[in-house]
Amino acid sequence: MAGDRTRERPRSQASAGDLLHLVRSGRAITRGALQEATGLSRATVGQRLDRLFRAGWLREGAGGPAGSPTGGRPSLRLEFDDAHAVVLAASLDTRHARAALLTLTGELLVERSGALSVDEGPERVLGALGGWFAGLLKEAGRSADAVCGIGLGVPGPVDTATGRVVQPPIMPGWDGYDIRGRLGRSFAEQTGGAGGSGRSGDAAGVPVLVDNDANLMAYGEQRTGHPDCAAFVLVKVSTGIGAGVVVGGQIYRGIDGGAGDIGHVRVPEGAGALCRCGSYGCLAAVAGGRALARRLTEAGVPAESGSDVRELLAEGHPEAVRLAREAGRSVGEVLATVVTLLNPGVLMIAGDLAGTPFLTGVRELLYQRALPRSTAHLDVVGARLGERSALVGAGALVVEHLYAPDRAEERLAALGL
C-alpha cells in the first residue's frame, strides 16, 4: 500500500514522494519531523521539498504552537496545497448520472445530475459525460489544464487494472469496453485540449480511474465519516444491489474486482425469480429496486426502477413501504453472513431504497440471524453523504493514486523537477 512506502525502502532513500506522503498523512509536518522520520540530512530534505514546492504541491504555513526543544522559533508547518489542481468525478446509475468538480481535499465546487441511461451504451454515455465535464469547468471558471485526474463509478464489476467492466449484468454493451480511453478522448474533445500537459505532470493525458460505484461510495463514506473504522461495509440498494468493502483504509476488490457483488447471492425466496444475469433466485431479483418496481406495477402502482420506488417511499405509499421492509429482511439475511465473515464496525445502507422501512427490515433479520458476537460492536447506519458519496470516493481515489509516493515521483520527473 502507498501508506507503507517509506517503510519498504531504506529510510535514507526516502524520495520526495515519500516526504509528500508523510506530510499528507500528518505523520510529519515540519522539516525537522521529516528528518527524524526518514533519517535524511537537513540539506537532502530541503532539496526534495524544493521539488514539491516548485510543483505547487506543498506550501509552508504558519508555525505550530510550540517552538523547538531548544527554545527556538516555532517550525513552519508544511501543508498539502490543494489549490494547484482539481479533480473531475462522475457516477453512473442505471438511468441517472451525477458529475462534479472537486478540490484535492474532496470539497465539491460545482456539480450536475440528470437522466443518462447506461442502456444507451458506452459511446453515447461517455461522450455525454465529456460535455458535462466541460460545462462544470466553465461554471467554475477553471481550465482543462487544471484537471489532474478523472474518477468514474459504474454499476458493475470492474477490473481496476484495465478500467474495464467485466460481464456487468445491468450494463448491456459495456463488457470489456475501453472506458478509460473513451472518457479521456471525450474530455479532450469537449474541453478543447488534451489535458495533463500542464502542472499535473501527465503528458500523455489526464488519468482516468474507473471503479464500481458501491466501492467508491464506501470509500467516500468511510474516509469522510468513519476514518478510524478498520472494517467498513456499504450496501447500495437501488435498481440493483451491491456492496463496497473498505479494510484498513483500502478498498477490498478481490482478485479481479468481483468482491461485494452480493446482489447475485441466491436466496430461498427467489427460486422462481429471473435475474438480469440470467440466473434464478438472485437477491437482486427479489429485493432490488427493479424487482420492487415490477411488483408495484403488478399491484397497480406504475414504477420502472429504484428511483421510482424511492419517490413512492418518500410519499409514504403503503405498498411501497411494505415491500421495502420485506426487501430489507431478505437483504438482512444475506448480510448476516457478510457480517459474520468480515466482522465490520460499520454497516451502511445506501441507495434509492435506503429509507427507514428498508433499514428496519435489515436490522430485524440481521440481528436475528447473526451471532451476538458478530454484532456486539456493529453500527448499522444510513448514508451521510447521500448521492454525493460516490463522487467524493471517486475524487479521493484519484488523489490517492496520483500522490502516492512512486506515482508522485513519476509525475515530478514528467514535470522536469
Side-chain angles (χ1 to χ4, degrees):
M1 293 186 297
D4 296 324
R5 294 292 172 84
T6 54
R7 284 173 284 178
E8 292 174 3
R9 58 171 61 93
R11 292 201 316 163
S12 60
Q13 296 179 20
S15 67
D18 290 319
L19 268 57
L20 177 66
H21 173 72
L22 288 168
V23 173
R24 291 188 62 236
S25 67
R27 291 168 54 193
I29 58 173
T30 65
R31 291 171 183 257
L34 288 172
Q35 287 178 243
E36 183 177 349
T38 62
L40 297 175
S41 69
R42 179 178 179 180
T44 302
V45 166
Q47 291 169 357
R48 293 179 183 174
L49 286 178
D50 183 61
R51 298 174 68 199
L52 299 171
F53 291 143
R54 285 188 287 150
W57 298 356
L58 278 189
R59 64 188 174 203
E60 285 186 308
S68 70
T70 59
R73 292 180 302 172
S75 300
L76 291 177
R77 181 188 181 97
L78 296 165
E79 300 171 344
F80 181 58
D81 189 345
D82 70 341
H84 71 270
V86 289
V87 175
L88 282 164
S91 177
L92 298 176
D93 210 328
T94 52
R95 297 173 64 196
H96 295 81
R98 300 185 74 88
L101 184 70
L102 302 92
T103 68
L104 298 182
T105 49
E107 177 188 354
L108 272 71
L109 300 174
V110 289
E111 61 181 311
R112 171 179 175 175
S113 63
L116 194 59
S117 174
V118 294
D119 287 345
E120 297 180 36
E123 280 288 326
R124 165 77 179 86
V125 171
L126 298 175
L129 282 182
W132 286 25
F133 288 159
L136 291 170
L137 287 170
K138 182 177 181 181
E139 183 179 348
R142 305 300 292 264
S143 70
D145 283 343
V147 178
C148 66
I150 298 171
L152 175 66
V154 297
V158 176
D159 180 350
T160 55
T162 64
R164 300 172 189 251
V165 291
V166 182
Q167 300 178 355
I170 59 175
M171 298 179 70
W174 291 74
D175 185 23
Y177 185 85
D178 182 15
I179 296 175
R180 287 178 180 172
R182 177 67 180 105
L183 187 54
R185 291 192 302 274
S186 178
F187 168 78
E189 293 163 359
Q190 298 285 350
T191 59
S197 59
R199 301 179 74 189
S200 71
D202 293 283
V206 172
V208 178
L209 273 64
V210 185
D211 209 329
N212 173 262
D213 57 352
N215 284 347
L216 295 180
M217 293 171 70
Y219 198 47
E221 293 281 2
Q222 188 270 338
R223 288 173 60 91
T224 303
H226 305 274
D228 297 326
C229 181
F232 178 96
V233 176
L234 178 143
V235 178
K236 179 191 177 186
V237 189
S238 292
T239 297
I241 299 175
V245 180
V246 179
V247 177
Q250 304 292 320
I251 298 174
Y252 178 75
R253 301 182 177 91
I255 60 171
D256 63 2
D261 204 0
I262 65 170
H264 301 286
V265 173
R266 295 192 179 185
V267 292
E269 63 269 33
L274 177 63
C275 181
R276 292 192 71 181
C277 73
S279 297
Y280 285 89
C282 293
L283 178 64
V286 173
R290 191 184 301 273
L292 268 62
R294 184 185 66 252
R295 293 172 66 182
L296 284 165
T297 300
E298 292 170 353
V301 184
E304 295 183 12
S305 67
S307 57
D308 293 334
V309 178
R310 178 183 60 187
E311 293 176 5
L312 291 167
L313 288 170
E315 296 169 2
H317 191 284
E319 184 64 7
V321 169
R322 184 186 71 80
L323 289 175
R325 183 165 180 170
E326 186 178 302
R329 290 171 61 85
S330 296
V331 173
E333 186 152 11
V334 171
L335 290 179
T337 300
V338 172
V339 166
T340 300
L341 177 65
L342 296 178
N343 189 211
V346 175
L347 172 62
M348 180 174 285
I349 309 298
D352 289 332
L353 306 188
T356 300
F358 189 91
L359 202 57
T360 299
V362 167
R363 288 189 173 115
E364 286 176 357
L365 259 291
L366 174 63
Y367 287 108
Q368 179 182 335
R369 294 284 192 263
L371 292 172
R373 173 67 182 81
S374 300
T375 58
H377 303 288
L378 175 68
D379 290 330
V380 182
V381 300
R384 295 181 55 179
L385 298 176
E387 295 180 339
R388 295 187 173 99
S389 58
L391 298 177
V392 173
L397 189 72
V398 169
V399 172
E400 292 305 315
H401 168 73
L402 292 180
Y403 296 94
D406 288 347
R407 185 71 175 116
E409 279 297 307
E410 294 173 4
R411 297 174 66 219
L412 288 170
L415 288 167
L417 299 174

